[in-house]
Amino acid sequence: PNLPLFSYTKALLLDGEYSDIFEKAAFKKVLLCHLEDFWMLITSDGTASLPESFKVPLSRKMKKLIEDCVPLIGKNCDLLLGEWKKVISSLSNSSSNVQPSMKVVDHLGYGTDENGGDLIEADWFRHFPQDLIFENVVEAFLLFKKLSQTRNTTEPSHQ
């Protein structure tokens, strides 16, 4: 349900069966920094905890390729961002064997498209930069996300 966090917390922890325990613990232990950390957790794009080896700035050429691909990928940008975020999340897994020199498309291509198939088989996926490597994955993701959000807000609505 779309219940504000404050209302949910108040109903469950302050007015509910846990109220005696929570009130005492919360007022003694919960600090503003905890709330800030919680906010960052629920609003984060998942890139903050990744090693620096995945956060190398994009070359001008790669930046241009990403800028050019957003309108070509079009209505599938959100789907691609969701799958891309899954790939990025897997990088923080200690068992991940992804190296910064590996191509992103080789991993992202096995995400699921709108029909349940692999992204690599979707016609629009061919516009994704084939030479993007994992050392640039965070910068590329953030740029793609920004450009696709800008695209979504500037597109005329079709009603």
Side-chain angles (χ1 to χ4, degrees), residues 61-62 65 103-105 128-133 136:
K61 178 183 175 187
M62 186 54 66
L65 287 172
K103 289 185 176 184
V104 174
V105 72
F128 186 82
Q130 303 296 303
D131 293 327
L132 176 64
I133 56 175
N136 306 118

Side-chain angles (χ1 to χ4, degrees), residues 4-22:
L5 179 61
F6 172 77
S7 300
Y8 173 77
T9 305
K10 184 177 183 304
L12 180 68
L13 300 175
L14 297 179
D15 297 337
E17 63 183 274
Y18 304 107
S19 62
D20 332 350
I21 301 167
F22 182 75

Side-chain angles (χ1 to χ4, degrees), residues 69 73 80 84 104-105 108 124-132 144:
C69 83
I73 292 173
L80 181 60
W84 200 343
V104 174
V105 72
L108 188 55
W124 56 264
F125 189 71
R126 74 179 188 278
H127 300 295
F128 186 82
Q130 303 296 303
D131 293 327
L132 176 64
F144 188 94

Side-chain angles (χ1 to χ4, degrees), residues 46-60:
T47 63
S49 63
L50 293 179
E52 294 301 313
S53 59
F54 295 116
K55 299 178 181 179
V56 175
L58 296 165
S59 67
R60 281 192 183 132

Side-chain angles (χ1 to χ4, degrees), residues 105-106 108-111 113 117-123 125-126 130:
V105 72
D106 293 340
L108 188 55
Y110 293 102
D113 73 5
D118 291 340
L119 291 180
I120 199 99
E121 296 170 3
D123 288 337
F125 189 71
R126 74 179 188 278
Q130 303 296 303

Side-chain angles (χ1 to χ4, degrees), residues 54 56-58 62-63 66 81 84 88 104 128-129 132-133 135-147:
F54 295 116
V56 175
L58 296 165
M62 186 54 66
K63 187 175 180 180
I66 292 169
L81 281 167
W84 200 343
I88 287 174
V104 174
F128 186 82
L132 176 64
I133 56 175
E135 76 174 14
N136 306 118
V137 73
V138 169
E139 293 292 321
F141 174 79
L142 295 174
L143 176 61
F144 188 94
K145 182 178 175 183
K146 177 183 168 191
L147 294 170

